[in-house]
Amino acid sequence: MADPGATLLARVAAAVGPSHVLTAPDDLAPYLTDWRGRYRGAACALVRPGSTAEVAAVVAACSDLRVPVVPQGGNTSMCGAATPDASGTTLLLSLARMQRVRALDAANATMTIEAGATLAATQAAAHAAGLRFPLSLASEGSCTVGGVLSTNAGGTAVLRYGNARELALGLEVVLPDGRVWDGLRGLRKDNTGYDLKQLFIGAEGTLGVVTAAVLKLFPAPRSQATAFAAVADADAAVRLLGMLRARLADRLTGFELIGALPLALCRKHHPALPDPLPGHPWYVLVQADDAAPDAPTAAEVEAALGSAAEAGVVLDATIAQSQAQAAALWALRENISEGQRREGPNVKHDISLPVSSIPRFLAEAAEALSRTFPGVRFVTFGHLGDGNLHYNLSAPEGGDAQDFMARAPAANRIVHDLVAAYGGSISAEHGIGQLKRDELARYKAPVELEMMRRIKAALDPAGMMNPGKILPDG
Ligand code: 2HG
Ligand code: ZN
């Protein structure tokens, strides 16, 4: 009898060309570990199809031969969603060769683009047409359209434009049996039954492989303002959010909270970055954009910050005077994750809560955690404007980081129980992957888990797509 592994590799090589089937350990290595270095997997091969038809042929071969498929975009998952398990039996599917802009319809304000395009390339293609694709996040240079849709990524402009889910009008998907669903519709109204694309968005590749999408585009900003403000506490930050919204309405695009410690970690590992307002406990990064020409955006932000200072809500503030200064302020925010990673392992919590509950949550969580983990360091930052915080914890100064990591379940229990009590979510934007499967089992209602399992069984009855992700065993 033929060796099933050899049969599979022969079939996929015939589909994509032998040079796009990698099996050498050195070639595979970068794809087998996640960005955080928490997970290490194995795979029988990495296959790089160049078209939807090739993806379909590869997935059909895997389905016939019962080989599980792990789709991978930019491999920037925070939860191990794109890392295969250790069995070595799965096939890694990279969409990296599929980067084409298939169509850009300026009158319809849509772009049809393939899944392997990076988010930065997607933004650039919109920009070149005088438009904007507003999804923006720290890993945009390497994360891909397929990845951001498969995780329903959020980022720094959700306050105004919503998550990836709100930005996709249509999808093309290769189903687990190798059939292609062409749902590339560029419609803002379409009430013809179940909205199937939403099943694949946020499914982390467990229901099929996203190969292309129709994305919504928006008018490009013609005037922008970026400001950095110091506040005394989270309560003041929430008050400032209200004041800015009252003045700027939907021109407020981003409102990011940054604790003094994450800022210090960022600057420690990126010393060339500025320290705009030293010596305060909390900071807020504000972004406002207006698509109308000659809008006085900076003057309005300045006026709002001035009123906030008079009311004692803001302690100090600065507004970027150039694109370079704005970029430097954003770099302070976007390099926090990298700074914290270089500092050592940390326990991440990607939570969302009603914005109004965040100050109380922070006070209660800090008290409970400090009782159990004296000296624990709070690396709190994130997208306060949309209620999503990265409530990350580092070991006490000089403490044993590995020992602290081993106690992560106890920290998760404190944080996630409190999040649940406030009606929040244990994964706001990073997804579930491998990291939070058990937490999902704990916090989802049985009826909700049951519906999720039924959807999985209906679309992927043999369990071939990205096994071991999202759904808990059992
Ligand atoms: C961000 O907002 C990312 O920078 C990463 O979502 C957050 O590292 C983190 O916890
Ligand atoms: Zn984030």
Side-chain angles (χ1 to χ4, degrees):
M1 207 176 119
D3 168 7
T7 310
L8 177 81
L9 294 186
R11 258 182 87 172
V12 298
V16 304
S19 61
H20 298 301
V21 181
L22 310 182
T23 52
D26 283 355
D27 290 341
L28 285 181
Y31 302 90
L32 300 176
T33 311
D34 66 316
W35 184 79
R36 291 178 68 196
R38 282 198 61 152
Y39 299 98
R40 189 171 296 274
C44 65
L46 173 86
V47 179
R48 296 158 40 96
S51 67
T52 303
E54 289 185 9
V55 175
V58 171
V59 173
C62 289
S63 170
D64 290 348
L65 296 164
R66 291 284 182 266
V67 174
V69 177
V70 178
Q72 194 177 89
N75 198 13
T76 58
S77 172
M78 293 277 165
C79 305
T83 310
D85 62 25
S87 69
T89 57
T90 54
L91 180 136
L92 256 178
L93 189 67
S94 165
L95 283 289
R97 287 178 60 221
M98 293 183 59
Q99 303 187 2
R100 259 184 338 121
V101 176
R102 291 194 193 161
L104 197 148
D105 183 344
N108 195 44
T110 52
M111 169 166 42
T112 307
I113 189 162
E114 293 183 341
T118 63
L119 180 53
T122 310
Q123 296 163 347
H127 184 75
L131 294 164
R132 169 181 213 184
F133 182 62
L135 194 74
S136 179
L137 35 115
S139 60
E140 63 199 22
S142 41
C143 70
T144 62
V145 167
V148 297
L149 289 170
S150 294
T151 54
N152 184 28
T156 54
V158 171
L159 174 60
R160 178 164 179 184
Y161 293 101
N163 298 287
R165 198 180 283 295
E166 279 92 32
L167 298 171
L169 293 174
L171 287 189
E172 179 186 78
V173 179
V174 172
L175 301 178
D177 61 7
R179 282 179 301 162
V180 178
W181 172 47
D182 179 354
L184 289 174
R185 295 187 278 263
L187 304 174
R188 286 176 173 76
K189 286 187 164 181
D190 178 15
N191 276 352
T192 51
Y194 303 138
D195 190 354
L196 294 176
K197 69 174 178 295
Q198 295 298 356
L199 283 181
F200 297 97
I201 299 176
E204 301 181 17
T206 62
L207 300 179
V209 186
V210 174
T211 47
V214 182
L215 303 176
K216 278 188 204 169
L217 303 178
F218 296 82
R222 310 269 275 280
S223 75
Q224 299 183 279
T226 306
F228 202 70
V231 291
D233 50 30
D235 192 47
V238 170
R239 287 175 64 199
L240 176 60
L241 173 65
M243 295 176 87
L244 284 165
R245 283 192 115 164
R247 178 116 198 179
L248 294 158
D250 67 352
R251 288 169 297 161
L252 184 62
T253 307
F255 189 89
E256 299 283 314
L257 180 71
I258 307 174
L261 181 56
L263 189 71
L265 290 180
C266 176
R267 292 196 62 256
K268 177 173 170 190
H269 295 282
H270 299 87
L273 291 177
D275 190 7
L277 307 170
H280 295 284
W282 292 97
Y283 300 93
V284 167
L285 179 61
V286 175
Q287 178 70 32
D289 308 292
D290 199 321
D294 308 322
T297 310
E300 294 216 37
V301 169
E302 197 171 341
L305 289 173
S307 312
E310 271 167 36
V313 171
V314 157
L315 303 173
D316 200 357
T318 176
I319 299 194
Q321 300 300 322
S322 65
Q323 292 259 6
Q325 282 182 10
L329 292 177
W330 271 104
L332 284 173
R333 166 63 186 86
E334 294 196 321
N335 287 301
I336 292 174
S337 204
E338 172 67 18
Q340 195 184 14
R341 180 173 78 144
R342 290 203 213 163
E343 190 67 11
N346 56 85
V347 179
K348 284 193 188 298
H349 298 110
D350 166 38
I351 58 174
S352 65
L353 298 158
V355 173
S356 48
S357 304
I358 283 179
R360 267 180 301 144
F361 165 85
L362 286 176
E364 288 173 35
E367 201 199 305
L369 285 162
S370 299
R371 242 183 283 127
T372 309
F373 301 96
V376 60
R377 288 183 294 163
F378 300 97
V379 184
T380 306
F381 63 99
H383 321 288
L384 181 64
D386 62 46
N388 173 197
L389 289 186
H390 301 303
Y391 190 62
N392 298 345
L393 306 174
S394 287
E397 189 87 60
D400 181 337
Q402 292 309 335
D403 178 57
F404 180 69
M405 292 306 287
R407 297 177 69 201
N412 293 343
R413 196 58 51 245
I414 292 171
V415 173
H416 290 160
D417 276 359
L418 199 56
V419 165
Y422 275 105
S425 168
I426 60 158
S427 178
E429 62 170 3
H430 294 165
I432 299 297
Q434 306 180 50
L435 181 67
K436 293 188 190 157
R437 285 198 318 155
D438 295 341
E439 296 298 277
L440 191 79
R442 189 179 178 97
Y443 293 101
K444 281 269 185 214
V447 66
E448 200 168 349
L449 268 183
E450 162 77 4
M451 286 192 284
M452 288 172 70
R453 286 192 201 284
R454 284 183 181 224
I455 290 167
K456 169 75 174 168
L459 290 176
D460 182 21
M464 289 291 106
M465 293 305 309
N466 209 4
K469 313 294 159 53
I470 301 189
L471 286 169
D473 293 330

